[in-house]
Amino acid sequence: MARRGTSSSTGRPTGTSPSGPRNRTPQPVRLRRRTFGDVVKAFLAFVVLLVLVVGVPGALAVTVGWPLPRSAPSMDWLSQPIDVQTFLYALTVVVWLAWAQFTACVLVEVKAAVSGVGLPGRVPGAGPSQLLARQLVAALLLVGATAASLTPGLSQLGHSLEGNQKGTVATAQATPGILAQQQEQAKNTAAALAEQASQVSAQAEQGSTATHGATKYYRIQPPEGRHHDSLWEIAQRHLGDGRRYKEIYELNKDRIQPDGSRLSEASLIRPGWIMEMPGDAHGGELVENPDAHVSPEVRQQIGDYARTGDHAQHQQEQGGGQHAGEEGATAQITVPSPRQSGGTGAPAAHAQESSGHSSFGLPEALLGAPLLAAGLLAALGRRRRQALWQSALGAVGGRRGMEPPIPTGDAQDVQDALLVGADPDGVRLLDRSLRGLAAALTAESRSLPVVYAAWLSNGDLHLQLAQPAGKPPAPWQLGQDQTFWTLSRADAERYEDTDAAAPYPGLVSLGTMDDSRLLLNLEAVPGIVSLSGREADRAAVFASVAAELATNGWSDRMTITLVGFGAELTPLAPNRLRHLDDVEALFETMEAETRQRRGALGAADHHSVLTGRTGPAQHTRWAPNLVLLAGRPSDQDALRLAELAADASRLGIGYLVGTESGDLPGAAWAMEITPDGRLLAPLLGLELQAQLLPAVQQRAVVELFVEADPERDPDGPTTTPPFLVDISEQGRPAVYARLVGPYEIIGLDTPDGERSALLHEALALLLLHREGVHPRVLSSALWPRGVTEDVRDALLERLRAWLGTDPDGSPRLRTDAAGRLTLAKSVVSDLDVLRSLYHEATQGKGVDSRAVRGRLLTDALVLVRGPLLADRAEGRYRWLTHEIIDAQLPLLVADIGLALSAFHLEKDRAEKAIEALGAALRTAPADERLWNELLRATHATGDPDRLRALAADLVARSGARGLPPRTEALLDELLPAWRDGAAATG
């Protein structure tokens, strides 16, 4: 994972390309001339080593002699008193063992320094001893002319042993007062690197003739004293450009490694693997085959690996005939596009339809963001349902909100893109997996580990930890090393909902690499994350991050603070998004919150918010606050912000700050967004295809939410149903589908074969969207796991043939000017008729004619035979979860029942009113308005026993929640003694 980077005053490490990574930890060895101090240090190190390795055993041999018995002791020896001589002998044995362990550490460190192959091995139980040996060996070797090339890990002295690890968090949380000193050190390091690079280049030129044709290899290092090795870092060290990691990947993909596994993803490599390097690779960690400095075991592994390379395959193809050629062809595997795998189980059809012109103009940014799209779609559905219910509590009859406005233009395209791109299953699995992990750790009385990032790859979830945290609870498993916890999709699907708090609400998607999607945990970053690039590109990243954090499904509560931008985004989630005008307002707010959080953690005796998210207090506090500052602050403000963020990760606060260049003072991690949409995150060892929300799509998304706002223009005009039918005898349709209740179709023959269910489902979707359905929306609804274009087109042809044509020869399934599929007016559903009858009764002919109103309302209620598509097969019609028809239909039926009840009560026909309300309650049993009207109608019968029985039934139905306040007030008015009866029943 990432480490704090250093940069030069110009914002770029000296000697790297302008577009390359800007805060990669430099190769630590600095070439400089030997000084007198170096010689003194080396002499002292030599003396200390001589004393400890040779002097100690010599002194023990002379002064004490052999401490162990020279013959097997008898049992009586155990009962003898311990004298001074016995105690000295026992102490001598301990000293001999310590000497042997230290000597082993010295040998291991010398071997690693001389061979140059990776980090030294660990001597069991020798943390401080091996640290001392490493420092002494390093001091001794630094006087040599070739010390830099022989000791690749010298800068990591004291950081590779468990007993001395401080972790990235501790490093990044250093006192901000030393930032100036760190910057000066960065300049010196950059200058030294430039000198080293030039010397290495000169040496390479001088020796190019001698080494021409030699293949170089690199052995992946274990995560001791560093974060995980990555192909990006290897390319940065040995090729001078991290973006050349793809060359290393292409040289080594699918070749068998020493442990029997294969390199299949550039982001997943394991310690001990061997990487063949491009010919211009350089650096002390590389070895040639054979190499006298490499152990026989490693030399054998490299030799075996070399025989599987491209040059070996080429020789085999020349002499092996057709079989070898076929083998080489099958090795060329096409990497799926990010939208196909997406890391979240997103439909494969998304990738297969993404090429050429098959997108029909839908926003590609949202098609390739399945988690963001799912969050936005779910939040939009909740907003529209809220608007419906608030409208329902207003008044009986026509009113604004019964029919949500149909989006047009960019908003319609964005809504279609959300429907196509959303992966709600991926969100559900991610949420359940993380909460299940938190619940399991709580059961084991363990704290949550610090997670820097999560990878979603083909449905599998990989958590990248800041440091090893032991064995994960089942069904989680250790991944490629001790800092990866992995959960397969099959195991994730076994998780059920739990009441555990969301453990990592700060995770947010940044983009994709190969077939994996990266989510960075912003609240765990040790300090500020900077994002450089053009203003428009940065704005697209910030909007994507803000929108996903505001609407994601794996968080409970959080605050996203938008500074100097994003005021227009607040309608997405007014309870989560907070806008501040400038940096001064940010300091005023966050300084107070930082103090409050520190105090709260201290009072609760928690070290960090993670320990507070497990245990009995998990639901009461510790929601993150993620600060997004799009504009670059001044250098002084940046340093002040870095000081404020020094302890932020422990407090659950994250900072993402924009800058024109990558030299933001005090930034812990740096990222860059390029004009072509790549997100360079060198400290993560990655080059991602960034997840973006461009300005046009951002405005369209906001428009969808604003139009659905229940508080927007509450006195505006009432809306008309999207499709009104002719309800007279002359308006009899050619095709009539009954959707309200069991699904039936009148006017068409039942299709033969297994495709009948699919055709019925496609017709139902089109009937519920008379405004038109995008072909990609249709295909993603019918095939959530993906489908190819030819299969989709074949279904549309069968559907068109099944529906047939009107008498004038026009097809009943048509395509409008925007490419959306629509149905002819001759194809009608009972839901269309139901809406038309109610609209005509309350806003048409029924307004002026009481008799017409009563007849239309009665006919409408007769059409209601149950819930929508009551007999639908399990596993089908999953697209209904994105619709609000499940909320609209009960409200519509309740409105019809209320209107018909009022119609009968006008003429004192209480029994008729009760009958109408009972029919409506069968479809809308949770509508409080129907029950209240039923109480009034029952009271109108003049039968107090019947009213008391209804009141008792209502109390029993309400359970522990109790009756709604309006119902209680109505009962107090109609039946003052109802509470006595309820108490007696209870």
Side-chain angles (χ1 to χ4, degrees), residues 441-525:
L441 290 172
T442 299
E444 297 178 4
S445 299
R446 296 169 60 185
S447 298
L448 290 166
V450 177
V451 169
Y452 279 158
W455 287 98
L456 287 167
S457 181
N458 296 322
D460 296 341
L461 174 59
H462 308 266
L463 296 183
Q464 195 162 358
L465 312 185
Q467 56 189 7
K471 183 179 180 181
W476 291 78
Q477 298 178 350
L478 286 174
Q480 62 197 60
D481 56 49
Q482 294 290 325
T483 59
F484 273 88
W485 286 5
T486 302
L487 182 70
S488 68
R489 184 184 182 96
D491 289 332
E493 289 175 342
R494 299 190 184 100
Y495 271 120
E496 297 181 354
D497 291 331
T498 177
D499 61 351
Y504 303 111
L507 286 169
V508 64
S509 304
L510 290 185
T512 56
M513 177 180 177
D514 297 331
D515 62 346
S516 299
R517 182 171 301 277
L518 171 68
L519 289 85
L520 181 67
N521 190 7
L522 281 180
E523 67 167 333
V525 175

Side-chain angles (χ1 to χ4, degrees), residues 11-24:
R12 293 188 182 95
T14 305
T16 61
S17 62
S19 61
R22 294 180 174 175
N23 64 340
R24 159 77 168 76

Side-chain angles (χ1 to χ4, degrees), residues 385 761 764-765 768-769 781 868-870 872 876-887:
R385 285 175 172 81
E761 186 174 355
L765 178 62
L768 292 178
H769 290 276
L868 187 75
L869 298 168
R872 60 179 179 267
R876 301 211 67 88
Y877 298 88
R878 298 176 64 181
W879 46 269
L880 281 172
T881 58
H882 300 315
E883 307 284 343
I884 63 168
I885 186 61
D886 60 334

Side-chain angles (χ1 to χ4, degrees), residues 345-559:
H350 298 171
Q352 294 167 350
E353 294 182 353
S354 63
S355 60
H357 301 284
S358 60
S359 63
F360 293 101
L362 294 185
E364 293 289 341
L366 289 172
L367 293 177
L371 303 184
L372 170 61
L376 289 171
L377 199 59
L380 182 60
R382 290 191 297 269
R383 180 69 54 84
R384 287 173 172 172
R385 285 175 172 81
Q386 182 184 8
L388 284 174
W389 282 108
Q390 290 195 14
S391 175
L393 295 177
V396 178
R399 59 185 179 270
R400 186 184 188 279
M402 190 63 221
E403 299 293 343
I406 297 174
T408 59
D410 290 337
Q412 187 177 19
D413 289 340
V414 161
Q415 178 174 276
D416 287 341
L418 294 178
L419 289 168
V420 174
D423 182 20
D425 287 341
V427 172
R428 177 179 56 84
L429 289 177
L430 177 61
D431 182 44
R432 288 183 175 180
S433 299
L434 295 177
R435 293 180 193 269
L437 174 63
L441 290 172
T442 299
E444 297 178 4
S445 299
R446 296 169 60 185
S447 298
L448 290 166
V450 177
V451 169
Y452 279 158
W455 287 98
L456 287 167
S457 181
N458 296 322
D460 296 341
L461 174 59
H462 308 266
L463 296 183
Q464 195 162 358
L465 312 185
Q467 56 189 7
K471 183 179 180 181
W476 291 78
Q477 298 178 350
L478 286 174
Q480 62 197 60
D481 56 49
Q482 294 290 325
T483 59
F484 273 88
W485 286 5
T486 302
L487 182 70
S488 68
R489 184 184 182 96
D491 289 332
E493 289 175 342
R494 299 190 184 100
Y495 271 120
E496 297 181 354
D497 291 331
T498 177
D499 61 351
Y504 303 111
L507 286 169
V508 64
S509 304
L510 290 185
T512 56
M513 177 180 177
D514 297 331
D515 62 346
S516 299
R517 182 171 301 277
L518 171 68
L519 289 85
L520 181 67
N521 190 7
L522 281 180
E523 67 167 333
V525 175
I528 297 173
V529 179
S530 69
L531 176 67
S532 61
R534 299 187 311 182
E535 182 178 0
D537 300 324
R538 295 200 319 268
V541 174
F542 273 91
S544 171
V545 169
E548 185 170 295
L549 288 173
T551 61
N552 71 47
W554 54 88
S555 303
D556 293 327
R557 297 177 298 111
M558 70 165 57
T559 300

Side-chain angles (χ1 to χ4, degrees), residues 260-350:
S261 56
R262 299 172 185 265
L263 174 65
S264 59
E265 298 179 18
S267 59
L268 296 177
I269 58 177
R270 299 178 182 175
W273 280 9
I274 298 168
M275 295 289 112
E276 181 179 342
M277 301 293 290
D280 60 337
H282 55 79
E285 293 175 313
L286 299 177
V287 294
E288 297 178 4
N289 182 37
D291 193 314
H293 298 296
V294 181
S295 66
E297 179 184 1
V298 174
R299 191 182 311 132
Q300 179 64 37
Q301 291 177 355
I302 294 177
D304 294 342
Y305 190 72
R307 286 191 288 273
T308 67
D310 291 341
H311 56 281
Q313 293 180 6
H314 178 69
Q315 294 174 359
Q316 183 181 5
E317 287 176 10
Q318 289 181 341
Q322 183 178 2
H323 176 72
E326 293 174 355
E327 230 177 278
T330 57
Q332 301 300 321
I333 302 174
T334 303
V335 180
S337 71
R339 194 159 46 251
Q340 176 177 351
S341 60
T344 63
H350 298 171

Side-chain angles (χ1 to χ4, degrees), residues 905-962:
L905 287 177
E906 289 176 3
K907 296 297 184 178
D908 296 326
R909 294 197 291 262
E911 293 297 338
K912 288 288 188 180
I914 292 172
E915 181 181 350
L917 293 169
L921 279 168
R922 285 192 287 272
T923 299
D927 198 308
E928 178 189 352
R929 301 171 301 156
L930 290 174
W931 289 106
N932 291 348
E933 195 64 20
L934 185 59
L935 286 172
R936 294 188 180 94
T938 304
H939 180 266
T941 62
D943 186 346
D945 293 336
R946 190 173 179 182
L947 184 59
R948 278 192 290 271
L950 178 59
D953 184 39
L954 276 175
V955 171
R957 288 174 180 269
S958 63
R961 296 174 300 174

